[in-house]
């Protein structure tokens, strides 16, 4: 794993040429925030990156409850038991194994791999919550409770799987044949498009997603991806 820095955010890329999975460390000055924990095999790389930065990990933010984003949660939490774990109120149900739909939601199957974890979230997030330098935004679509996190100082959007870059920038659910996995695991394309439109109202210097490279000056490319998804 080769750690890459964008302002005060570090991308931790795993399997970049096979099945790219990204986690991110946000340097908050005195401590660190981890956004997503990847798969179980990512544990060693995450812990090595934290050690390299020589600062304590005090927050773990989860964009959503799929296995490729929470797979090393238990191991990282065990290494940093003081770290506070955050997830949206809605996706906390998925994290607990409850895949049932709520009445207002698109009544289609919730897709994607989930796993049972021992770690329980310490705090449940809603839109507008602030965690360190990040602001939480609801971004349902890939899952009903997906969230994105925005750092205004660097104009960085940690979008989870609201967008996917591998195989070409696309809204969650808009299938790209070179990387079809994210679309296959998306619950509601129509909901994802609405979320993407809201997120694209933010000025985004760095678009940081769960799968693929970081996109710089991303708004225009995001607009093109949204238009493509609408045509589907």
């Amino acid at each position: 794993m080769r750690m890459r820095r964008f302002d005060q955010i570090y991308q931790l890329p795993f399997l970049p040429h096979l099945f790219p999975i990204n986690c991110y460390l946000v340097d908050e000055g005195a401590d660190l925030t981890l956004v997503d924990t990847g798969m179980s095999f990512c544990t060693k790389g995450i812990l090595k990156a934290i050690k390299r930065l020589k600062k304590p990990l005090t927050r773990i933010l989860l964009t959503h409850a799929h296995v490729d984003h929470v797979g090393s949660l238990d191991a990282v939490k065990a290494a940093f038991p003081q770290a506070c774990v955050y997830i949206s109120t809605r996706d906390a149900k998925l994290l607990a194994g409850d895949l049932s739909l709520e009445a207002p939601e698109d009544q289609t199957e919730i897709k994607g791999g989930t796993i049972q974890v021992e770690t329980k979230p310490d705090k449940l997030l809603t839109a507008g919550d602030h965690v360190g330098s990040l602001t939480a935004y609801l971004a349902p679509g890939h899952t009903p409770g997906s969230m994105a996190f925005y750092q205004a100082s660097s104009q960085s959007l940690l979008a989870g799987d609201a967008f996917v870059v591998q195989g070409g920038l696309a809204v969650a659910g808009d299938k790209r044949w070179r990387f079809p996995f994210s679309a296959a695991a998306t619950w509601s394309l129509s909901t994802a498009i609405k979320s993407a439109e809201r997120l694209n109202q933010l000025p985004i210097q760095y678009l940081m997603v769960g799968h693929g490279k970081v996109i710089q000056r991303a708004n225009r490319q995001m607009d093109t991806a949204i238009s493509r998804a609408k045509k589907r």
Side-chain angles (χ1 to χ4, degrees):
M1 180 199 70
R2 182 180 179 183
M3 185 164 61
R4 299 186 65 197
R5 179 177 177 177
F6 299 88
D7 204 283
Q8 295 303 308
I9 302 177
Y10 295 84
Q11 179 194 30
L12 312 183
F14 298 91
L15 303 181
H17 304 297
L18 181 61
F19 184 91
I21 296 172
N22 295 319
C23 307
Y24 297 91
L25 283 169
V26 182
D27 187 344
E28 299 286 6
D31 52 26
L32 301 171
T33 297
L34 175 65
V35 179
D36 285 337
T37 70
M39 300 282 281
S40 59
F41 63 79
C42 300
T43 302
K44 183 177 179 180
I46 292 171
L47 298 182
K48 183 177 180 180
I50 294 169
K51 183 177 181 180
R52 176 179 171 184
L53 294 175
K54 299 180 180 179
K55 297 182 180 182
L57 179 70
T58 59
R59 292 166 291 270
I60 302 171
L61 275 64
L62 303 172
T63 60
H64 61 289
H66 280 161
V67 62
D68 52 335
H69 294 257
V70 306
S72 66
L73 176 60
D74 286 342
V76 175
K77 177 68 171 177
F80 293 92
Q82 78 284 1
C84 188
V85 177
Y86 301 77
I87 195 170
S88 73
T89 300
R90 179 64 182 89
D91 258 32
K93 290 177 62 177
L94 273 66
L95 193 66
D98 181 357
L99 302 183
S100 62
L101 292 161
E102 297 181 356
E105 296 172 343
D106 190 348
Q107 297 296 297
T108 58
E109 178 187 3
I110 296 176
K111 303 173 184 177
T114 58
I115 58 169
Q116 294 293 309
V117 297
E118 294 183 5
T119 301
K120 307 298 181 186
D122 298 293
K123 295 187 179 180
L124 301 182
L125 292 170
T126 58
D129 285 347
H130 297 281
V131 183
S133 63
L134 304 176
T135 302
Y137 285 81
L138 290 175
H142 189 61
T143 66
S146 289
M147 298 202 87
F149 302 101
Y150 184 68
Q151 187 184 65
S153 61
S154 65
Q155 296 185 342
S156 298
L157 181 68
L158 295 107
D161 285 358
F163 287 88
V164 63
V165 172
Q166 188 71 7
L169 181 60
V171 175
D174 184 7
K175 187 174 182 179
R176 295 295 180 94
W177 69 267
R178 286 182 294 169
F179 193 79
F181 311 104
S182 180
T186 293
W187 158 65
S188 172
L189 173 58
S190 60
T191 306
I193 291 171
K194 294 175 184 177
S195 294
E197 290 178 317
R198 289 193 298 271
L199 293 174
N200 198 31
Q201 293 175 9
L202 297 165
I204 300 172
Q205 174 65 23
Y206 300 111
L207 175 62
M208 301 176 168
V209 300
H211 306 284
K213 65 182 181 179
V214 172
I215 300 292
Q216 299 189 37
R217 296 177 294 278
N219 289 103
R220 182 173 295 181
Q221 295 180 64
M222 291 166 66
D223 187 61
T224 299
I226 291 166
S227 297
R228 182 183 186 276
K230 284 183 173 180
K231 290 178 181 178
R232 291 181 61 86

